[in-house]
Amino acid sequence: MTRADDSSLDCDLLIVGGGPAGLSLAASVAQAGLSATVLEQQVEEQLARPAPDGREIALTHPSVATLQRLGSWQRLAGHEVGLLRAADVHDGPVGRRGSLHLHAGGTGAGHLGWIVPNHALRRTAYEVAASTPGVRVVTGARVQHVATRAACAEVEYLTAGQDQARLLRAPLVVAADSRLSATRRQLGLGAAMTDFGRTVIVCRMRCERPHDEVAHECFGYERTLAVLPLPDDPVDGAPMCSAVVTADSTQARELLALAPEAYAASVAAQFQHRLGALQLVGERHAYPLVAVYAHRFAAARCALLGDAAVGMHPVTAHGFNLGLTGVATLTRVLTEAREHSADLGAASVLQRYARAHHRHAWPLFAGTNAIVRLYTDTRPLPRIARQAVLAAAMRLPPLQAVIVSQLTGRRPAWPTRGAGTHG
């Protein structure tokens, strides 16, 4: 490939951020014959054995195919992988009116997708990256400065016990260090941020009744509840679910202050006790809801990936799926550039990634935000509008097909008999 002063370059890609997106990119490009160095602030123990954070990640069929190609899917334990066979969308109090029932019929798939704990995805991404030739993972690295030059990108970082920063150079630096990315800011790539003024509370719960691997999205008028089916408890086989409550800041504080038994009872009541009594397992985790969309996904010598490029509202479960789409797209673009002896960090090369990722991400991002605004507005007219939207979706098979295609990652298809009103 064409590069200025190759002897001064440390690798083909510098990746700032050792989350599952950044680590997956490192493994992906290394498997394609490139070299990558990942700089991560957490220490090795935190990457190798990440603590549960309450988040459960819904994965589409293309995402699982990518993880299988990388080899990280095969490292998941059996009790860490759950199926999403179908999904029900409820407007207002659960059971008051019919729900929109979505399933994979007509797509050629037997189910909508899979669900995996976030900490398991982090662990397996690290295991694969750390064992892939061509990948170097620097842990405990505090990035001090990121810059792009005419011939290369530069990253200065410190590790524990160091007084002097170390400098690494590569044709390209990729920011993959969260939706509040400090690297993105240093690279001069701005982002539009949407603060929804709400907090999401996530936790695991034991269920009295089986969930039949069906997810539920309940758009209540005061707060939103998602109930996600999880694999049965590996010890005693009890049904398990993830409860995701979204509320304004005041209500979230009140919910977090409840005793575990009272909180579980509150969730069970909002779900009209459809899974019977619920019991909190582990801790509740709270996260502010802030969506991010970068003004540009790439420039000369730099690119954005994962939440640093697009930080999604979780309601449509596209966040990590978008990150894996970015991994696949950027790997393809860089591999093609190498085959043509092109500079990996050239603006013309990276714009191919930026355009492709924007075409895929923007409709999902804009559509998700529109859904959130409509279904969290408690005024009378928006209530009427959301009821009309849901009713239309129940009666229009093509619209259902489009929704299912986004959930599965497969092309739209006409739903088979049985889609529509449920409950």
Side-chain angles (χ1 to χ4, degrees), residues 50-55 80 116-124 204:
D53 60 11
R55 291 178 287 184
E80 293 175 326
V116 177
N118 185 58
H119 73 272
L121 293 172
R122 296 179 68 90
R123 185 194 74 241
T124 53
R204 287 189 158 216

Side-chain angles (χ1 to χ4, degrees), residues 126-147:
Y126 175 70
E127 289 173 357
V128 168
S131 61
T132 300
V135 176
R136 177 189 175 204
V137 181
V138 182
T139 58
R142 291 177 289 121
V143 172
Q144 306 295 297
H145 184 64
V146 182

Side-chain angles (χ1 to χ4, degrees), residues 221-237:
Y221 295 137
E222 299 302 325
R223 69 189 197 214
T224 298
L225 169 67
V227 178
L228 308 178
L230 301 180
D232 293 344
D233 189 302
V235 176
D236 62 9

